[in-house]
Amino acid sequence: MTDKQELRRIARQRRRNFVASLDSLAHRLAFKALPSPLLAMLEPCHMVALYMPVGDEAPATRLAAALTTAGKSLCLPQVIDRVGNMNFVGWREDDQLFPGPFGTSHPEPGGGIVAPDAIITPLIGFDPALNRLGQGGGYYDRIFARYPDAIRIGLAWSVQEFEKLEADPWDVPLHAVLTECAFFEGVD
């Protein structure tokens, strides 16, 4: 069995190679639209959390225009410290962003903290059971625990799918995953 650190290394390399091989037009068009099942899932939500992509992560902010058109308010994570704490701050596409830890970008530090109804989360890997392999810092594990009723949606490139990921006791599966070519929805 491969440990999580090794899986992260493998997944990052897969993602890096995949993104580097993408046609530039295909890359620019990826994640610009909301599939109908995802739009239906988000129907009752008012505040949707996105994230600013770092490196070759799937670009969540490309969904902003479609979400705004659907009447959703948006927020972005704001990392508080290096031990896994973060909040969400309201955000619009034209808001200025400020640098944060780990190469992240955040809305203005003094912005109001909001509670999302849906959280679109980055990930390193996922499996058909919608288990999520994250960066390893525990930020989103803590966020999912803080907002247990929020809809959890992973955003990933298709190459980030694994056959099976071992879940730790604190891991919470996602409700759905969106890739550039498919939408996976959990069954409850």
Side-chain angles (χ1 to χ4, degrees):
M1 174 204 256
T2 308
D3 72 0
K4 283 192 174 183
Q5 284 303 93
E6 179 63 11
L7 280 176
R8 286 184 181 99
R9 187 194 66 72
I10 291 166
R12 285 184 183 108
Q13 187 62 51
R14 268 197 214 169
R15 183 178 69 189
R16 193 172 16 261
N17 293 344
F18 178 77
V19 171
S21 72
L22 269 179
D23 173 78
S24 63
L25 179 60
H27 191 290
R28 281 195 313 273
L29 294 176
F31 304 105
K32 287 275 194 174
L34 291 170
S36 297
L38 178 55
L39 196 54
M41 180 181 275
L42 294 174
E43 179 60 33
C45 300
H46 300 286
M47 179 65 67
V48 179
L50 297 174
Y51 62 88
M52 292 301 295
V54 175
D56 49 23
E57 288 180 335
T61 50
R62 288 190 188 160
L63 295 172
L67 288 165
T68 301
T69 299
K72 308 306 175 192
S73 295
L74 305 175
C75 60
L76 290 176
Q78 183 181 52
V79 175
I80 304 300
D81 54 39
R82 293 186 167 270
V83 294
N85 295 308
M86 68 181 185
N87 288 319
F88 289 101
V89 177
W91 174 76
R92 288 181 303 239
E93 285 187 273
D94 58 350
D95 287 350
Q96 181 179 357
L97 296 174
F98 298 87
F102 312 113
T104 59
S105 298
H106 303 150
E108 185 172 350
I113 295 172
V114 298
D117 305 295
I119 301 168
I120 296 180
T121 178
L123 50 82
I124 299 293
F126 70 97
D127 69 12
L130 302 184
N131 290 308
R132 173 186 173 272
L133 178 64
Q135 293 281 3
Y139 287 90
Y140 279 91
D141 293 322
R142 287 177 184 81
I143 284 296
F144 295 157
R146 189 181 327 160
Y147 301 107
D149 296 329
I151 297 171
R152 300 175 302 277
I153 302 160
L155 200 67
W157 299 103
S158 54
V159 71
Q160 293 176 258
E161 183 178 6
F162 283 82
E163 187 175 308
K164 181 171 176 40
L165 293 173
E166 295 299 321
D168 287 318
W170 56 84
D171 289 334
V172 179
L174 300 168
H175 293 107
V177 172
L178 177 64
T179 72
E180 80 284 3
C181 60
F183 180 68
F184 303 87
E185 193 171 357
V187 289
D188 288 330

